[in-house]
Amino acid sequence: MPNSNSMTPKTGSIDHSHYSPKLTNDDLAPTRQQNWSWYNIFSFWMSDVHSMGGYVVAASFFTLGLASWQVLICLLCGICIVQICANLVAKPSQMAGVPYAVICRQAFGVFGANIPAVIRGLIAFAWYGIQTFLAANALMLVLLKFFPTLTPLTQSRWLGLSSLGWMCFGLMWFLQAMVFWHGMSAIKRFIDFAGPAVYVVMLALAGWILYQTGLSNISFTLSSKSLSNGQQAWQMVTAIALVVSYFSGPLLNFGDFSRYGKSMDEIRRGNRWGLPFNFLLFSIVTVVIVSGTQSLFGQMITDPIETVSRVGSSVAVALGLLTMIIATIGINIVANFVSPAFDFSNCAPQKISFRTGGMIAAIGSVLLTPWNLFQSPELIHYTLDVLGAFIGPLFGILVADFYLIKRGKISVDDLFNATPGGRYWYRNGFNPKAIMALVPAVVIGLAISFTPSLHQVANFSWFIGVFLGGGCYRYLARRERVADTAVHYAGMVSAPKE
């Protein structure tokens, strides 16, 4: 729990009466319930990894023309980088017991934190709709398989989606909203179930394919490309970057979940099992399935929904697709619902609660008609590049401020102080140096993304953004670096020496 003079150690109750109402509500204030164990963090990452998107990404690396051992090294290196970054971004939120949007006040100012919060919220805004559409599409396949009389409902379209599509999308939208509406306790219970459930289906599907094809027909190299040593090295570096980029969104707002961790030791343990071990095992199971489809159906299928739909048993198909739906709901809530809920709430704490913030994202996702975005590969490509251009600098500035400038110290009380006397007031509640570091880093990232000749470099937009944003901020704020002998004041939390 955060070490503050306003906390009662025995009960964990916290007095928020002296916090500014412009910056505080029950959802943003330091949590009283830091009771998540390593398994809860492990389940969080399982829900994030075990998605249709994660399946396709893992499978695609085996088509780059690399040997199996090279691909596995890329996956392991990439996910280890994610693990290190997750540990870094988790610590300040776990120490203070506050979400990502609030911890950003330390670097951007108590009001300037709305800038990174809104950016992250809008990113989740779009992907929430796309993931809901993918889950709805899986549900539609189940319904059509068992109730073919519904086929006429797929003929007519409105705003790019069929009548049956609207019904399925509406149902998925409602189910996710129901889980979210019951709060973080319900979300924790849901992801504790969703992640392991997908493993059961994936392992069963891999076993069925091995039974049908035989072990001799499973190959870990699914491409006939012949690459030179230099090309292999470039593909390996690119694959590592893509792994990190894929997880960059949930990684940025990991503090929304680490704030509930019992301790950093529990979080590190959960990250260790939930990332390197879990992702590598998931990747191996994935390639067994994908390779088996090539032998079994005569073509390589990277869409898990299509693979499951080709299983002979109707009951098995229904169970498999329903589990995929549960997995998609899990990652959607984890990555794209919780984040905007806290982020939008941070903008107007007294008017927008955690629930209201989440529902703003849910309603906005429908207005975006995400199925139209998903049907435009070129638009999705540029969208991903743009997201990386924003997410990288935000991560870099957050980490540089906490570890290099503030030296692992947080004034919890000042995170909620909206007066010029607060340490994070800076200039009218905004830190000009953080904004000055963010803008050029984002502009350079966008320039790389939209320059055709730099297309290959765009895969590294997250890394470029991290170093540009973090490095620029470290230079601009160098005179504000907190000394080891800094005077401790009320509400100060210091990172324990390790």
Side-chain angles (χ1 to χ4, degrees):
M1 293 291 288
N3 299 323
S4 173
N5 64 342
S6 59
M7 179 183 298
T8 305
K10 291 183 180 180
T11 63
S13 60
I14 306 173
D15 178 18
H16 301 153
S17 60
H18 61 292
Y19 289 171
S20 169
K22 296 180 181 179
L23 301 172
T24 316
N25 60 29
D26 290 340
D27 302 306
L28 299 177
T31 181
R32 298 177 176 87
Q33 300 177 350
Q34 289 187 303
N35 54 15
W36 283 34
S37 68
W38 72 270
Y39 179 77
N40 301 127
I41 301 298
F42 171 59
S43 297
F44 164 86
W45 287 117
M46 278 208 293
S47 293
D48 200 10
V49 169
H50 302 172
S51 66
M52 285 176 276
Y55 180 102
V56 173
V57 168
S60 67
F61 291 155
F62 287 86
T63 66
L64 295 176
L66 300 174
S68 58
W69 64 270
Q70 292 174 316
V71 175
L72 293 178
I73 286 177
C74 293
L75 292 170
L76 192 58
C77 288
I79 210 65
C80 284
I81 293 174
V82 174
Q83 179 193 2
I84 293 170
C85 293
N87 289 335
L88 290 175
V89 82
K91 179 174 281 188
S93 285
Q94 195 280 330
M95 287 169 54
V98 297
Y100 162 77
V102 173
I103 212 68
C104 282
R105 296 173 184 175
Q106 192 176 29
F108 285 86
V110 290
F111 296 132
N114 288 331
I115 297 173
V118 169
I119 290 173
R120 179 65 184 99
L122 292 177
I123 289 171
F125 201 89
W127 280 107
Y128 173 80
I130 291 175
Q131 291 281 8
T132 302
F133 166 66
L134 292 175
N137 197 43
L139 177 61
M140 189 163 61
L141 285 176
V142 174
L143 292 176
L144 290 174
K145 188 171 185 67
F146 285 92
F147 306 101
T149 55
L150 295 175
T151 301
L153 293 178
T154 63
Q155 305 303 319
S156 60
R157 289 184 171 270
W158 183 63
L159 295 178
L161 196 62
S162 68
S163 299
L164 184 59
W166 273 106
M167 294 177 189
C168 293
F169 185 88
L171 180 59
M172 288 297 100
W173 188 96
F174 177 76
L175 290 176
Q176 291 174 129
M178 287 297 293
V179 174
F180 171 81
W181 195 258
H182 284 81
M184 287 302 297
S185 295
I187 292 173
K188 182 179 76 169
R189 290 193 298 269
F190 186 85
I191 62 178
D192 284 349
F193 165 76
V198 178
Y199 251 139
V200 173
V201 172
M202 294 290 287
L203 290 171
L205 188 58
W208 178 79
I209 285 180
L210 283 172
Y211 175 78
Q212 296 290 328
T213 63
L215 185 60
S216 59
N217 290 318
I218 300 296
S219 171
F220 281 93
T221 303
L222 304 180
S223 175
S224 58
K225 295 179 183 178
S226 179
L227 303 178
S228 64
N229 290 336
Q231 290 173 324
Q232 289 180 23
W234 176 254
Q235 290 283 27
M236 290 180 70
V237 172
T238 301
I240 292 172
L242 289 173
V243 172
V244 180
S245 296
Y246 177 76
F247 289 98
S248 63
L251 179 61
L252 181 63
N253 69 290
F254 183 51
D256 292 343
F257 299 90
S258 68
R259 68 182 296 211
Y260 300 104
K262 292 180 179 179
S263 67
M264 276 306 300
D265 287 339
E266 289 285 314
I267 292 173
R268 291 190 191 93
R269 185 182 177 192
N271 287 343
R272 183 168 59 251
W273 285 100
L275 287 169
F277 173 81
N278 175 48
F279 188 64
L280 194 60
L281 179 59
F282 179 78
S283 301
I284 293 173
V285 173
T286 296
V287 79
V288 168
I289 296 173
V290 175
S291 179
T293 61
Q294 194 169 29
S295 301
L296 195 58
F297 304 118
Q299 63 180 113
M300 186 176 66
I301 302 174
T302 58
D303 184 349
I305 292 178
E306 184 178 351
T307 303
V308 172
S309 66
R310 296 197 181 197
V311 177
S313 170
S314 296
V315 175
V317 170
L319 290 175
L321 290 177
L322 287 174
T323 306
M324 290 291 181
I325 292 171
I326 291 173
T328 304
I329 291 176
I331 186 178
N332 217 11
I333 292 174
V334 164
N336 303 318
F337 216 148
V338 172
S339 174
F342 284 125
D343 295 336
F344 293 143
S345 179
N346 188 72
C347 296
Q350 295 304 305
K351 297 180 180 179
I352 304 176
S353 66
F354 175 76
R355 287 177 173 176
T356 304
M359 295 313 295
I360 289 174
I363 294 171
S365 69
V366 180
L367 299 178
L368 283 175
T369 61
W371 44 89
N372 290 322
L373 292 177
F374 188 73
Q375 291 172 359
S376 174
E378 183 178 351
L379 180 59
I380 290 179
H381 169 76
Y382 282 112
T383 299
L384 289 173
D385 289 343
V386 169
L387 298 187
F390 280 100
I391 292 176
L394 290 176
F395 179 88
I397 292 171
L398 177 66
V399 171
D401 178 76
F402 178 72
Y403 289 97
L404 303 180
I405 303 302
K406 303 301 192 299
R407 303 296 294 272
K409 298 180 174 66
I410 306 172
S411 171
V412 179
D413 289 350
D414 283 322
L415 291 173
F416 301 93
N417 188 341
T419 68
R423 288 185 66 89
Y424 309 131
W425 177 256
Y426 298 107
R427 188 178 300 172
N428 298 321
F430 294 81
N431 184 1
K433 294 175 181 177
I435 297 172
M436 289 170 61
L438 176 66
V439 172
V442 170
V443 169
I444 292 174
L446 293 176
I448 292 173
S449 300
F450 288 102
T451 303
S453 60
L454 298 176
H455 173 69
Q456 289 186 319
V457 181
N459 292 325
F460 302 90
S461 60
W462 184 86
F463 289 92
I464 295 171
V466 169
F467 286 108
L468 286 177
C472 186
Y473 179 76
R474 169 66 179 85
Y475 175 78
L476 292 173
R478 63 191 182 281
R479 298 185 186 278
E480 300 175 5
R481 189 179 184 191
V482 176
D484 287 331
T485 57
V487 177
H488 287 245
Y489 47 86
M492 174 73 83
V493 181
S494 298
K497 293 183 178 181
E498 300 178 89

